[in-house]
Amino acid sequence: MFGYRVPAPDEAMLISGGRRGLGGAPFRVVTGHGKFVIPFFRKTRFLTLSMCESEVTETCVTRQGIALHVRAVIAFKVGNDHESIINAGQRFLSDQDQMSVLTGRIFAGHLRAIIGSMTVEEIVTERQKLAAEVLDTSKTEMAKIGLIVDSLQIQSIDDGDAGYIDAMSAPHKAAIQRQAQIAQAQATQASVEAEQEAARKQAEYARQTAIVKAQYSAEVDRAQAQAAQAGPLAQAHAQQEVLAAQTELAQRQAKLRQQQLVAEIVKPAEAEAERVRVLAAAEAQRMKIQAEAAASYDRVALDRMLIDQLPQIVKEAAGGLAGANVNVLNGADGLGEIAAGLVSQGLTILDSVRQNLNGQDATDGRRSEESPGNGLLQLRSGKERKSGDGPVDVD
């Protein structure tokens, strides 16, 4: 639009004519927005607010009297506040390139002053300290002209042909070289050890590979041998099974033959022996029964005969008293006692004969069968032995 002006983001618009600016400045400052400017009655100019650079190359003498060639770079700009813009606009608006020239000269002076108070060692080893001191000393002066310094970098320090810096760095160079040599030796040793380790691992791998191959070869040979022996082993196992079956068959046949022999010979022999034993036992029992029956018959017959002969025995006993001189002491009672004694003697003789017969065995029974009269003879002899017993008084 006609008469409406807008500054760029990195510019400050300065409007002169009409009212004055802040603090009695001959222009008004507009930043960040537009403004209506009356043509022909107002004049607008633009002041850059972007970053500017100034390079300083200066020969400075240290406190030790050694000349050093110092190269530095300063980054600066116009301040964003109205006061800085007004100060910079009043000084550099017509020739803004003079800001870099003036800034370089200002910093060159401060740089010579600060380096003159330091040693070479301090300057070389403490560049950041040098830059900080230069900034501090130049801050007030730069603010007066509306500029602010963002950074100061010491790019190089050189003593020319003096060789002071080289001499100063020689021990460090030697140490560095020594460390480099040590590092190189260590690297070489590590490389050799790594090669040896690689060779050892390679040899170990080769050994393990050879072992594995030998094992595989042995397994293959064993498998081949087993395969070659499989036929004979199978045949031998088959023959062994045949022999085992034949042996078992022979054992069964022998056992069967043994059973047949037992059935054909032993059992009949045992049965015959048992039959003979049973027949012998039966014959012995029969003979025993016959002997007992014969003995029983003989005793019954003998008892019967004795009973039949008892009167005769008593008579014979009484006949023995016929010629004897008998004195009867008790009269009729005495006679009765004599008669009773005779009868008692006969019965005693009979009981004695019976007991003798009962105590004798079958041999006695066979003897009694030979002659029944022997009993009578014994009975008589017994009568003769006992004829004097009893209450009879014989002269």
Side-chain angles (χ1 to χ4, degrees), residues 150-188:
D150 288 339
S151 67
L152 171 63
Q153 296 293 329
I154 306 298
Q155 292 186 336
S156 65
I157 299 174
D158 186 14
D159 62 351
D161 297 334
Y164 187 88
I165 296 177
D166 292 338
M168 184 180 65
S169 62
H172 301 286
K173 288 181 179 180
I176 292 173
Q177 290 177 357
R178 183 172 59 254
Q179 292 177 357
Q181 292 174 356
I182 294 172
Q184 182 65 33
Q186 291 177 350
T188 303

Side-chain angles (χ1 to χ4, degrees), residues 349 376-387 389:
I349 293 170
L376 182 57
L377 293 177
Q378 292 176 0
L379 180 59
R380 289 180 179 176
S381 62
K383 179 194 70 172
E384 291 177 356
R385 286 194 305 269
K386 295 183 181 294
S387 62
D389 297 337

Side-chain angles (χ1 to χ4, degrees), residues 251-317:
Q251 291 177 353
R252 289 183 178 180
Q253 291 178 352
K255 186 175 181 181
L256 179 61
R257 181 58 181 167
Q258 182 180 5
Q259 293 176 355
Q260 291 177 352
L261 291 175
V262 169
E264 294 176 357
I265 299 175
V266 177
K267 291 298 183 180
E270 290 179 353
E272 182 63 21
E274 183 65 19
R275 186 183 68 79
V276 171
R277 186 183 64 78
V278 171
L279 291 177
E283 183 65 19
Q285 186 68 23
R286 183 183 65 79
M287 293 176 66
K288 181 179 178 182
I289 294 173
Q290 289 179 353
E292 289 178 354
S296 176
Y297 177 79
D298 290 342
R299 285 196 300 269
V300 172
L302 182 58
D303 290 341
R304 182 67 180 173
M305 182 185 65
L306 290 175
I307 292 172
D308 293 338
Q309 292 183 359
L310 182 60
Q312 184 64 29
I313 293 170
V314 174
K315 181 179 179 181
E316 291 291 337

